[in-house]
Protein backbone atom coordinates (compact mmCIF):
# COMPACT_ATOMS: atom_id res chain seq x y z
CA UNK A 1 0.00 0.00 0.00
CA UNK A 2 1.48 3.37 -0.96
CA UNK A 3 0.74 7.04 -0.54
CA UNK A 4 -1.28 8.16 2.45
CA UNK A 5 -3.68 5.21 2.42
CA UNK A 6 -1.80 3.50 5.26
CA UNK A 7 -0.93 6.74 7.11
CA UNK A 8 -2.91 8.29 9.91
CA UNK A 9 -2.99 11.95 8.85
CA UNK A 10 -3.83 14.20 11.77
CA UNK A 11 -5.33 17.67 11.74
CA UNK A 12 -4.98 20.21 14.56
CA UNK A 13 -5.99 23.81 15.21
CA UNK A 14 -3.84 24.46 18.30
CA UNK A 15 -0.19 25.04 19.20
CA UNK A 16 1.76 23.83 22.24
CA UNK A 17 4.53 25.53 24.20
CA UNK A 18 6.46 23.83 26.99
CA UNK A 19 9.01 25.51 29.23
CA UNK A 20 11.87 23.01 29.18
CA UNK A 21 14.32 24.76 31.49
CA UNK A 22 14.89 28.18 32.95
CA UNK A 23 17.24 30.30 34.97
CA UNK A 24 14.98 33.30 35.32
CA UNK A 25 13.67 35.22 38.32
CA UNK A 26 13.05 38.78 39.41
CA UNK A 27 16.17 38.50 41.56
CA UNK A 28 18.25 38.23 38.39
CA UNK A 29 17.08 41.71 37.42
CA UNK A 30 17.66 43.17 40.88
CA UNK A 31 21.24 42.08 41.46
CA UNK A 32 22.20 43.04 37.93
CA UNK A 33 20.74 46.53 38.39
CA UNK A 34 22.17 47.13 41.86
CA UNK A 35 25.69 46.00 41.09
CA UNK A 36 26.37 49.35 39.43
CA UNK A 37 26.00 51.14 42.78
CA UNK A 38 26.26 48.39 45.40
CA UNK A 39 28.82 46.00 43.98
CA UNK A 40 28.71 42.48 45.41
CA UNK A 41 26.60 43.62 48.35
CA UNK A 42 23.65 43.92 45.99
CA UNK A 43 22.95 40.19 46.41
CA UNK A 44 22.25 40.63 50.12
CA UNK A 45 19.61 43.30 49.48
CA UNK A 46 17.41 41.39 47.08
CA UNK A 47 14.92 40.14 49.69
CA UNK A 48 15.49 42.84 52.29
CA UNK A 49 12.74 45.15 51.04
CA UNK A 50 10.22 43.60 48.61
CA UNK A 51 8.43 46.88 47.92
CA UNK A 52 11.72 48.58 47.13
CA UNK A 53 12.58 45.74 44.78
CA UNK A 54 9.23 46.09 43.04
CA UNK A 55 9.82 49.82 42.67
CA UNK A 56 13.29 49.30 41.22
CA UNK A 57 12.01 46.88 38.57
CA UNK A 58 9.23 49.30 37.67
CA UNK A 59 11.76 52.14 37.40
CA UNK A 60 13.98 50.08 35.09
CA UNK A 61 11.02 49.20 32.91
CA UNK A 62 9.58 52.72 32.83
CA UNK A 63 12.87 54.44 32.01
CA UNK A 64 13.94 51.65 29.64
CA UNK A 65 17.11 50.55 31.38
CA UNK A 66 17.02 47.23 29.59
CA UNK A 67 20.27 45.38 30.24
CA UNK A 68 19.38 44.06 33.74
CA UNK A 69 16.57 42.08 32.10
CA UNK A 70 19.09 40.16 29.99
CA UNK A 71 20.52 38.15 32.93
CA UNK A 72 18.03 35.31 32.59
CA UNK A 73 17.42 32.35 30.32
CA UNK A 74 14.36 30.37 29.25
CA UNK A 75 14.17 27.48 26.80
CA UNK A 76 10.79 26.67 25.28
CA UNK A 77 9.77 23.64 23.21
CA UNK A 78 7.29 24.83 20.60
CA UNK A 79 5.11 22.65 18.38
CA UNK A 80 3.35 24.69 15.70
CA UNK A 81 2.85 24.98 11.93
CA UNK A 82 5.94 25.78 9.87
CA UNK A 83 4.56 29.16 8.80
CA UNK A 84 4.58 30.22 12.47
CA UNK A 85 8.27 29.40 12.74
CA UNK A 86 9.11 31.40 9.65
CA UNK A 87 7.63 34.47 11.35
CA UNK A 88 9.14 33.55 14.71
CA UNK A 89 12.67 33.34 13.34
CA UNK A 90 12.61 36.98 12.31
CA UNK A 91 13.30 37.59 16.01
CA UNK A 92 17.07 37.22 15.91
CA UNK A 93 17.50 37.68 19.67
CA UNK A 94 16.40 34.06 20.23
CA UNK A 95 18.48 30.93 19.68
CA UNK A 96 16.73 28.23 17.64
CA UNK A 97 17.02 24.56 16.78
CA UNK A 98 14.25 23.08 14.63
CA UNK A 99 13.62 19.50 13.57
CA UNK A 100 14.99 18.76 10.10
CA UNK A 101 13.20 17.19 7.16
CA UNK A 102 16.60 16.30 5.73
CA UNK A 103 17.33 13.77 8.45
CA UNK A 104 13.97 12.36 9.50
CA UNK A 105 10.65 11.47 7.96
CA UNK A 106 8.21 14.25 8.78
CA UNK A 107 5.05 13.27 10.62
CA UNK A 108 1.66 13.90 8.92
CA UNK A 109 0.27 16.49 11.33
CA UNK A 110 -1.29 19.53 9.68
CA UNK A 111 -2.89 22.80 10.74
CA UNK A 112 -6.54 23.51 9.97
CA UNK A 113 -8.00 26.77 11.33
CA UNK A 114 -10.51 26.16 14.08
CA UNK A 115 -14.06 27.54 14.13
CA UNK A 116 -12.97 30.50 16.27
CA UNK A 117 -10.35 31.63 13.70
CA UNK A 118 -11.40 34.84 11.91
CA UNK A 119 -11.19 34.21 8.18
CA UNK A 120 -12.04 37.38 6.25
CA UNK A 121 -9.75 40.40 5.88
CA UNK A 122 -11.56 43.68 5.29
CA UNK A 123 -10.09 47.10 4.57
CA UNK A 124 -6.92 48.47 3.01
CA UNK A 125 -3.36 47.30 3.79
CA UNK A 126 -2.24 48.85 7.05
CA UNK A 127 -5.82 49.54 8.09
CA UNK A 128 -7.80 46.33 7.99
CA UNK A 129 -9.73 44.10 10.34
CA UNK A 130 -10.54 40.40 10.38
CA UNK A 131 -14.09 39.13 10.65
CA UNK A 132 -15.43 35.69 11.45
CA UNK A 133 -16.47 34.46 8.02
CA UNK A 134 -19.60 32.57 7.08
CA UNK A 135 -20.30 28.89 7.78
CA UNK A 136 -19.76 28.25 4.07
CA UNK A 137 -16.32 29.88 4.19
CA UNK A 138 -15.31 27.84 7.22
CA UNK A 139 -16.49 24.69 5.46
CA UNK A 140 -14.48 25.61 2.37
CA UNK A 141 -11.30 26.26 4.36
CA UNK A 142 -11.61 22.97 6.24
CA UNK A 143 -12.25 20.87 3.14
CA UNK A 144 -9.70 22.59 0.90
CA UNK A 145 -6.86 22.45 3.42
CA UNK A 146 -7.49 18.80 4.31
CA UNK A 147 -7.66 17.76 0.65
CA UNK A 148 -4.48 19.66 -0.15
CA UNK A 149 -2.62 18.16 2.81
CA UNK A 150 -3.64 14.62 1.88
CA UNK A 151 -2.47 15.08 -1.69
CA UNK A 152 0.84 16.65 -0.61
CA UNK A 153 1.62 13.93 1.93
CA UNK A 154 0.71 11.24 -0.59
CA UNK A 155 3.27 12.69 -3.01
CA UNK A 156 5.84 12.90 -0.21
CA UNK A 157 5.45 9.27 0.84
CA UNK A 158 5.43 8.04 -2.75
CA UNK A 159 8.79 9.69 -3.33
CA UNK A 160 10.25 8.29 -0.12
CA UNK A 161 9.08 4.79 -1.04
CA UNK A 162 10.72 5.22 -4.45
CA UNK A 163 14.05 5.92 -2.77
CA UNK A 164 14.06 9.70 -3.20
CA UNK A 165 16.13 11.57 -0.59
CA UNK A 166 14.17 13.16 2.26
CA UNK A 167 15.58 16.59 1.49
CA UNK A 168 14.12 16.36 -2.03
CA UNK A 169 10.80 14.73 -1.16
CA UNK A 170 9.99 17.32 1.52
CA UNK A 171 9.74 20.06 -1.11
CA UNK A 172 6.11 19.15 -1.82
CA UNK A 173 4.99 19.62 1.80
CA UNK A 174 3.09 22.81 2.72
CA UNK A 175 3.86 25.31 5.48
CA UNK A 176 0.74 24.10 7.32
CA UNK A 177 2.75 21.03 8.38
CA UNK A 178 3.62 20.98 12.09
CA UNK A 179 7.25 21.25 13.11
CA UNK A 180 8.97 21.51 16.48
CA UNK A 181 11.80 23.60 17.81
CA UNK A 182 13.66 24.73 20.89
CA UNK A 183 13.73 28.49 21.34
CA UNK A 184 15.94 30.08 24.00
CA UNK A 185 15.81 33.72 25.06
CA UNK A 186 16.28 36.12 27.95
CA UNK A 187 13.49 38.21 29.46
CA UNK A 188 14.32 41.31 27.45
CA UNK A 189 14.18 39.42 24.17
CA UNK A 190 10.90 37.81 25.21
CA UNK A 191 9.35 41.18 26.04
CA UNK A 192 10.30 42.44 22.59
CA UNK A 193 8.66 39.36 21.07
CA UNK A 194 5.51 39.79 23.16
CA UNK A 195 5.22 43.49 22.33
CA UNK A 196 5.11 42.61 18.63
CA UNK A 197 3.27 39.29 18.63
CA UNK A 198 0.31 39.97 20.92
CA UNK A 199 -2.64 42.24 20.27
CA UNK A 200 -3.50 44.05 23.49
CA UNK A 201 -5.57 47.19 23.94
CA UNK A 202 -3.33 48.35 26.79
CA UNK A 203 -0.19 48.35 24.63
CA UNK A 204 1.48 51.70 24.07
CA UNK A 205 2.30 50.61 20.52
CA UNK A 206 -0.49 48.37 19.21
CA UNK A 207 0.52 45.34 17.18
CA UNK A 208 -1.56 43.17 14.87
CA UNK A 209 0.08 39.75 14.68
CA UNK A 210 -1.15 36.73 12.80
CA UNK A 211 -3.34 34.80 15.18
CA UNK A 212 -1.33 31.57 15.08
CA UNK A 213 1.93 33.15 16.30
CA UNK A 214 -0.07 35.08 18.89
CA UNK A 215 -1.26 31.72 20.23
CA UNK A 216 2.38 30.76 20.77
CA UNK A 217 3.17 34.13 22.36
CA UNK A 218 0.26 33.87 24.80
CA UNK A 219 1.48 30.53 26.13
CA UNK A 220 5.05 31.78 26.43
CA UNK A 221 3.89 34.85 28.33
CA UNK A 222 1.85 32.80 30.79
CA UNK A 223 4.85 30.64 31.65
CA UNK A 224 7.24 33.60 31.88
CA UNK A 225 4.85 35.52 34.16
CA UNK A 226 4.98 32.65 36.66
CA UNK A 227 8.79 32.82 36.71
CA UNK A 228 9.16 36.61 36.94
CA UNK A 229 5.91 38.06 38.32
CA UNK A 230 7.34 41.48 39.27
CA UNK A 231 8.96 41.93 35.90
CA UNK A 232 5.82 40.84 34.08
CA UNK A 233 3.67 43.20 36.16
CA UNK A 234 6.00 46.10 35.36
CA UNK A 235 5.92 45.18 31.67
CA UNK A 236 2.13 45.39 31.69
CA UNK A 237 1.99 48.51 33.85
CA UNK A 238 4.27 50.38 31.46
CA UNK A 239 2.39 49.73 28.28
CA UNK A 240 4.02 46.44 27.27
CA UNK A 241 7.05 48.23 25.86
CA UNK A 242 10.32 46.33 25.77
CA UNK A 243 12.91 48.24 27.86
Amino acid sequence: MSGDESVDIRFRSDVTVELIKSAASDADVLWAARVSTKGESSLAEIEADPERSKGLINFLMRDRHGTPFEHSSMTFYVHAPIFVFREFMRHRTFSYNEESGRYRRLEPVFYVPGPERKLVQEGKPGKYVFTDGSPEQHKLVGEATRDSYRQAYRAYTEMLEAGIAREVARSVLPVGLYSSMYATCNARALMNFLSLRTNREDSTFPSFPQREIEMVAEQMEEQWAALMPLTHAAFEANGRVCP
Side-chain angles (χ1 to χ4, degrees), residues 16-24 73-79 94-95 97 180-185 190 219-220 222-224 227:
T16 56
V17 178
E18 181 182 357
L19 181 66
I20 298 299
K21 63 177 181 177
S22 65
S73 178
M74 293 162 280
T75 298
F76 298 93
Y77 179 72
V78 184
H79 197 222
F94 282 64
S95 296
N97 280 96
S180 60
M181 72 172 179
Y182 290 106
T184 299
C185 64
L190 182 57
Q219 292 188 43
M220 294 176 75
E222 181 180 2
Q223 295 174 58
W224 167 59
L227 292 173

Side-chain angles (χ1 to χ4, degrees), residues 105-232:
R105 177 173 173 145
L106 297 170
E107 295 298 314
V109 183
F110 296 94
Y111 177 76
V112 177
E116 74 287 345
R117 177 60 159 97
K118 297 181 183 297
L119 295 183
V120 180
Q121 179 179 318
E122 298 179 347
K124 298 179 180 180
K127 192 176 182 181
Y128 56 80
V129 296
F130 284 92
T131 57
D132 290 334
S134 66
E136 292 76 19
Q137 288 171 321
H138 278 277
K139 182 175 183 291
L140 173 62
V141 169
E143 292 178 350
T145 52
R146 288 181 175 89
D147 289 345
S148 176
Y149 293 150
R150 291 187 183 101
Q151 180 178 352
Y153 202 78
R154 182 182 303 115
Y156 174 67
T157 56
E158 286 176 353
M159 283 191 280
L160 293 180
E161 290 168 5
I164 305 299
R166 294 185 184 95
E167 65 183 50
V168 177
R170 67 176 175 170
S171 63
V172 300
L173 294 173
V175 294
L177 180 78
Y178 274 73
S179 186
S180 60
M181 72 172 179
Y182 290 106
T184 299
C185 64
N186 61 46
R188 190 182 192 187
L190 182 57
M191 285 186 279
N192 175 260
F193 175 77
L194 295 175
S195 71
L196 295 168
R197 300 299 182 176
T198 58
N199 185 349
R200 293 283 296 272
E201 292 182 358
D202 54 347
S203 295
T204 300
F205 305 103
S207 185
F208 304 94
Q210 184 166 337
R211 177 55 190 155
E212 286 76 14
I213 196 170
E214 185 179 32
M215 290 159 60
V216 171
E218 289 170 347
Q219 292 188 43
M220 294 176 75
E221 181 167 3
E222 181 180 2
Q223 295 174 58
W224 167 59
L227 292 173
M228 304 178 70
L230 295 182
T231 301
H232 179 257

Side-chain angles (χ1 to χ4, degrees), residues 30-68:
L30 296 168
W31 63 253
R34 288 173 176 162
V35 72
S36 61
T37 57
K38 298 291 186 180
E40 293 180 359
S41 66
S42 64
L43 290 171
E45 295 188 15
I46 288 175
E47 297 181 357
D49 188 344
E51 282 302 312
R52 185 165 174 262
S53 296
K54 179 180 178 181
L56 175 56
I57 288 177
N58 190 70
F59 161 75
L60 296 170
M61 193 77 68
R62 184 193 67 209
D63 286 18
R64 305 193 72 182
H65 296 291
T67 54

Side-chain angles (χ1 to χ4, degrees), residues 225-243:
L227 292 173
M228 304 178 70
L230 295 182
T231 301
H232 179 257
F235 175 62
E236 290 208 305
N238 289 278
R240 298 177 66 83
V241 177
C242 177

